[in-house]
């Protein structure tokens, strides 16, 4: 039997995830994941390999691997160079922030983790883990 103050691992995770969603670190990780996914999709659609993209950019395949794996600092300059190498353009827009109402204490927060989540942004969100 659980005490009133104990929390299941699932409840704890949901609380942490909900608390992190309005942070710049969370938004940055999702933006990077969206960019990585768009690059992978464009390369696949055009049949371009990492080696071919590296040749087009005049860089190493290792750099492309790091870039596509989120291990390389992605500057706007690099993003535009990669887009040009893929014969694409970068499109940016600012959209209104949608903030969900905070749930009541006993209500369970339900979230969906999308298929784009290939890696967890644990390093940038580690400071948040003590809140719930």
């Amino acid at each position: 039997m659980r005490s009133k103050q104990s929390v299941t691992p699932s409840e704890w995770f949901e609380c942490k995830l909900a608390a992190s969603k309005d942070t710049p670190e969370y938004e940055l990780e999702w933006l990077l994941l969206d960019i990585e996914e768009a690059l992978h999709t464009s390369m696949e659609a055009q049949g371009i390999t990492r080696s071919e993209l590296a040749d087009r950019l005049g860089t190493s395949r290792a750099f492309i691997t790091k870039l596509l794996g989120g291990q390389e600092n992605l500057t706007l300059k690099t993003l535009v160079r990669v887009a040009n190498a893929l014969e694409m353009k970068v499109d940016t827009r600012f959209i209104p922030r949608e903030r969900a109402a905070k749930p009541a204490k006993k209500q369970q927060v339900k979230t969906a983790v999308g298929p784009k989540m290939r890696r967890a942004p644990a390093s940038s969100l580690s400071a948040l883990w003590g809140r719930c």
Side-chain angles (χ1 to χ4, degrees):
M1 189 177 223
R2 284 186 341 179
S3 69
K4 286 184 179 182
Q5 292 183 339
S6 69
V7 176
T8 67
S10 178
E11 291 169 335
W12 177 84
F13 178 79
E14 293 294 335
C15 178
K16 297 301 178 182
L17 184 60
S20 70
K21 285 190 173 184
D22 286 331
T23 65
E25 293 86 1
Y26 182 90
E27 291 179 27
L28 176 61
E29 287 296 326
W30 276 106
L31 178 59
L32 290 171
L33 287 170
D34 283 343
I35 291 169
E36 291 168 24
E37 184 71 21
L39 292 175
H40 281 282
T41 301
S42 295
M43 288 173 63
E44 187 175 297
Q46 296 179 40
I48 296 173
T49 65
R50 291 175 186 215
S51 295
E52 186 176 347
L53 183 58
D55 288 344
R56 290 182 182 191
L57 290 170
T59 190
S60 68
R61 184 179 183 278
F63 174 80
I64 301 301
T65 298
K66 287 180 181 179
L67 186 69
L68 293 174
Q71 299 169 0
E72 187 63 37
N73 183 20
L74 183 61
T75 64
L76 291 175
K77 183 177 181 178
T78 301
L79 184 59
V80 169
R81 286 183 61 228
V82 171
N84 285 333
L86 294 170
E87 298 180 14
M88 308 283 284
K89 292 190 76 140
V90 177
D91 178 30
T92 49
R93 43 192 180 110
F94 288 83
I95 57 174
R97 182 178 302 277
E98 294 180 29
R99 296 192 189 267
K102 293 189 178 188
K105 284 187 177 184
K106 300 233 176 195
Q107 184 179 8
Q108 184 176 359
V109 178
K110 293 187 179 184
T111 58
V113 178
K116 294 181 183 180
M117 182 63 98
R118 292 186 304 269
R119 61 185 168 82
S123 60
S124 59
L125 296 177
S126 60
L128 296 172
W129 296 134
R131 291 187 186 170
C132 292

